[in-house]
Amino acid sequence: MATNGNVTPEKPDMPMFYKTIRPLDMEKDADLYVSAPKSFNFAANTNAIPLLIDELPMAAAHYPIVFASGPSPIPAAVVGLSNDENLFIDENGQWLGGSYLPAYVRRYPFLLMDDPDQKQFVLCIDETSDMLGSSGDYALFKDGKPSTFTQSAMNFCATLRAQGEATEEFVKTIKDYNLLMNNDAQIDMPGGSKLQLAGFQVIDPKKFDLLPDNVYLSWRRKGWIGMIFAHLLSSHRWQSLMALSTMREQGRA
């Protein structure tokens, strides 16, 4: 029996997890609160989470890291072996304890977007999120101004945006040096079944080893060499995903 899965961390029409995005409005949202997530079910229907370059060492300890195929490959933590299944979220909607929680998940339900008219960034929310309501842990506005929490959310999103630009530079460079290779994988599961994963790339270690010394030293100064090693070492985490998948199947039996 073969089960096919694709590594697809982004939706083409809307950022993953988000359903209805709009800017925060001081008048409309004067009494709006946000709470810590009671569950992570908003992230349950994906098998890959986008990563930023600075996250690679932490994520590598828990997830295989790949580059989702496309014109602009996206670093991603693989969290499932089948489409629309996140093995790190349990039946109660909780993220597997002790596992690194990617910044893309921690950012939700906020998002920083461009306002071309005002030539500035605007903090937006997914107004469908059950983390928002008329009561909660943190007020979004206080005394007619963004609350300390909202300012922190804005700063966090701005930091992630800056890291996103650094990530794009890193990925563009390794792509320009032709280091990425397709790596569709066939995984032999317990019981004799086979699982096929497609739609992702990895860094070719042989081509990486052949980098000219001056390029290697330049990348080391940028901090990229450690990130590449983190990616390469994360390949050992496929075994962990297989174990999680087997445990979930046994739980369903």
Side-chain angles (χ1 to χ4, degrees):
M1 175 181 178
T3 304
N4 295 321
N6 293 304
V7 176
T8 53
E10 281 285 359
K11 305 296 184 185
D13 53 343
M14 183 76 68
M16 190 169 61
F17 306 160
Y18 297 83
K19 296 180 180 178
T20 305
I21 299 173
R22 67 166 177 81
L24 271 178
D25 185 287
M26 193 173 297
E27 294 184 4
K28 182 177 181 179
D29 301 324
D31 299 319
L32 191 63
Y33 286 74
V34 63
S35 297
K38 294 181 174 62
S39 85
F40 290 93
N41 284 330
F42 64 85
N45 297 322
T46 183
N47 67 347
I49 308 289
L51 291 172
L52 298 165
I53 185 171
D54 287 355
E55 297 184 277
L56 299 189
M58 291 86 74
H62 305 280
Y63 315 103
I65 297 173
V66 302
F67 295 84
S69 297
S72 299
I74 301 168
V78 181
V79 295
L81 296 175
S82 300
N83 292 340
D84 302 327
E85 182 176 56
N86 186 338
L87 294 169
F88 285 81
I89 297 178
D90 65 21
E91 65 275 6
N92 298 315
Q94 300 305 300
W95 205 276
L96 186 64
S99 300
Y100 175 72
L101 191 62
Y104 193 99
V105 179
R106 287 182 275 128
R107 179 184 66 180
Y108 185 81
F110 296 100
L111 185 66
L112 200 62
M113 299 191 73
D114 292 310
D115 183 344
D117 295 330
Q118 300 296 325
K119 296 183 179 180
Q120 63 183 6
F121 298 131
V122 177
L123 186 64
C124 299
I125 54 171
D126 180 357
E127 63 181 355
T128 66
S129 172
D130 59 10
M131 296 166 63
L132 301 169
S134 57
S135 62
D137 297 334
Y138 306 99
L140 293 180
F141 292 93
K142 188 174 183 179
D143 300 327
K145 298 185 297 184
S147 67
T148 300
F149 180 87
T150 299
Q151 292 173 358
S152 296
M154 179 75 174
N155 292 337
F156 181 67
C157 289
T159 298
L160 297 190
R161 190 180 186 94
Q163 291 183 7
E165 293 173 357
T167 304
E168 289 174 3
E169 179 191 2
F170 168 69
V171 174
K172 181 181 183 302
T173 303
I174 62 174
K175 183 180 178 183
D176 287 346
Y177 275 85
N178 198 30
L179 295 190
L180 293 177
M181 65 177 184
N182 292 330
N183 195 45
D184 296 353
Q186 180 173 284
I187 300 174
D188 294 324
M189 299 293 292
S193 63
K194 295 185 183 296
L195 187 145
Q196 189 76 30
L197 280 174
F200 68 93
Q201 297 176 306
V202 296
I203 291 175
D204 186 335
K206 294 181 180 179
K207 290 183 178 179
F208 172 63
D209 287 342
L210 293 175
L211 281 177
D213 289 349
N214 64 316
V215 173
Y216 187 95
L217 290 173
S218 172
W219 290 11
R220 190 182 70 180
R221 285 191 289 269
K222 290 175 178 289
W224 290 356
I225 298 301
M227 305 306 174
I228 291 173
F229 281 131
H231 158 67
L232 294 174
L233 289 170
S234 76
S235 62
H236 297 291
R237 300 267 65 87
W238 287 106
Q239 196 71 27
S240 302
L241 274 184
M242 291 172 58
L244 285 174
S245 180
T246 299
M247 289 172 59
R248 180 160 295 190
E249 288 301 320
Q250 291 174 344
R252 289 170 176 167

